[in-house]
Amino acid sequence: MFEYIKGIIVDLTPTSVVVETGGIGYFLNISLNTYSKLSGHKEAQLYLHQVVREDAHLFFGFFDANERGIFRHLISVSGVGANTARMMLSSLTPSEIQSAIISSNVKTLQGVKGIGAKSAQRIIIELKDKLGKDTDISDFSLPQNNTTKEEALSALVMLGFAKNSVTKVIDKVFAANIDASVEDLIKLALKQL
């Protein structure tokens, strides 16, 4: 029903953005890939995917249509919900996901929190032919940002991880990677959670 939203970025976190347009602020769930593309911008145009549940109407925002396409492919797989797909897009770039699926790389997909061997195999089986036809998935580059371990911690807690376990992992990862961006901290922490 909704294709995209264009407006002023009112609030931006690694897991969400509030875009104001027409006097209304829209809360959108986003991946780390989209967050890194939006950092430093005051306005944005994000492609939308709406999830309607009995208890909520949720919007997921994507920097470009290619990322949204991968998201939609992922949620079409039995057992992969919107939050799992967002987690995958926060751990891997859309092109890395596409490449892993096309090359049947179960290990790469299993590296994402919440994706076991059976889920990874199911994703590959169901999407290999579909994604093999899509060759225009663009690679996202992650710019370096001045961010803190608190932002990384907050993002992981918002993604559903327990604060106590996340705090220990983030402290350990941050100590070893002091100059890392928030995206890098989160990706490194995701591999250890």
Side-chain angles (χ1 to χ4, degrees), residues 98-150:
Q98 182 182 22
S99 177
I101 291 169
I102 291 170
S103 63
S104 300
N105 190 339
V106 174
K107 191 172 183 178
T108 298
L109 296 179
Q110 276 187 274
V112 177
K113 169 78 170 129
I115 302 294
K118 288 183 181 178
S119 295
Q121 289 167 351
R122 188 180 319 113
I123 290 168
I124 289 168
I125 290 168
E126 292 189 28
L127 297 181
K128 190 171 185 173
D129 291 338
K130 293 178 188 175
L131 292 181
K133 296 173 188 170
D134 297 339
T135 56
D136 62 344
I137 302 300
S138 62
D139 194 14
F140 286 79
S141 60
L142 298 176
Q144 294 299 315
N145 299 310
N146 282 333
T147 55
T148 64
K149 66 180 181 178
E150 285 78 23

Side-chain angles (χ1 to χ4, degrees), residues 139-181:
D139 194 14
F140 286 79
S141 60
L142 298 176
Q144 294 299 315
N145 299 310
N146 282 333
T147 55
T148 64
K149 66 180 181 178
E150 285 78 23
E151 285 183 44
L153 173 68
S154 173
L156 289 167
V157 169
M158 282 191 245
L159 285 170
F161 293 98
K163 188 173 183 177
N164 293 339
S165 62
V166 169
T167 303
K168 292 175 188 173
V169 172
I170 286 289
D171 287 341
K172 189 168 109 181
V173 169
F174 185 72
N177 304 280
I178 294 173
D179 295 329
S181 68

Side-chain angles (χ1 to χ4, degrees), residues 5 15-19 26-30 46 48 59-61:
I5 186 169
T15 59
S16 66
V17 63
V18 175
V19 177
Y26 293 90
F27 181 90
L28 310 174
N29 296 290
I30 60 173
L46 296 172
L48 296 175
F59 283 114
F60 289 84

Side-chain angles (χ1 to χ4, degrees), residues 41-143:
H41 293 282
K42 294 182 181 184
E43 293 186 6
Q45 175 176 312
L46 296 172
Y47 291 87
L48 296 175
H49 179 82
Q50 184 179 18
V51 175
V52 179
R53 296 194 313 222
E54 189 175 303
D55 60 340
H57 290 247
L58 305 172
F59 283 114
F60 289 84
F62 305 94
F63 190 77
D64 64 29
N66 291 329
E67 184 182 17
R68 181 179 64 178
I70 292 289
F71 176 85
R72 287 179 169 170
H73 280 303
L74 290 171
I75 63 173
S76 73
V77 175
S78 175
V80 178
N83 285 325
T84 301
R86 179 173 67 154
M87 177 73 74
M88 291 180 75
L89 287 164
S90 292
S91 300
L92 303 166
T93 65
S95 61
E96 288 172 338
I97 292 172
Q98 182 182 22
S99 177
I101 291 169
I102 291 170
S103 63
S104 300
N105 190 339
V106 174
K107 191 172 183 178
T108 298
L109 296 179
Q110 276 187 274
V112 177
K113 169 78 170 129
I115 302 294
K118 288 183 181 178
S119 295
Q121 289 167 351
R122 188 180 319 113
I123 290 168
I124 289 168
I125 290 168
E126 292 189 28
L127 297 181
K128 190 171 185 173
D129 291 338
K130 293 178 188 175
L131 292 181
K133 296 173 188 170
D134 297 339
T135 56
D136 62 344
I137 302 300
S138 62
D139 194 14
F140 286 79
S141 60
L142 298 176

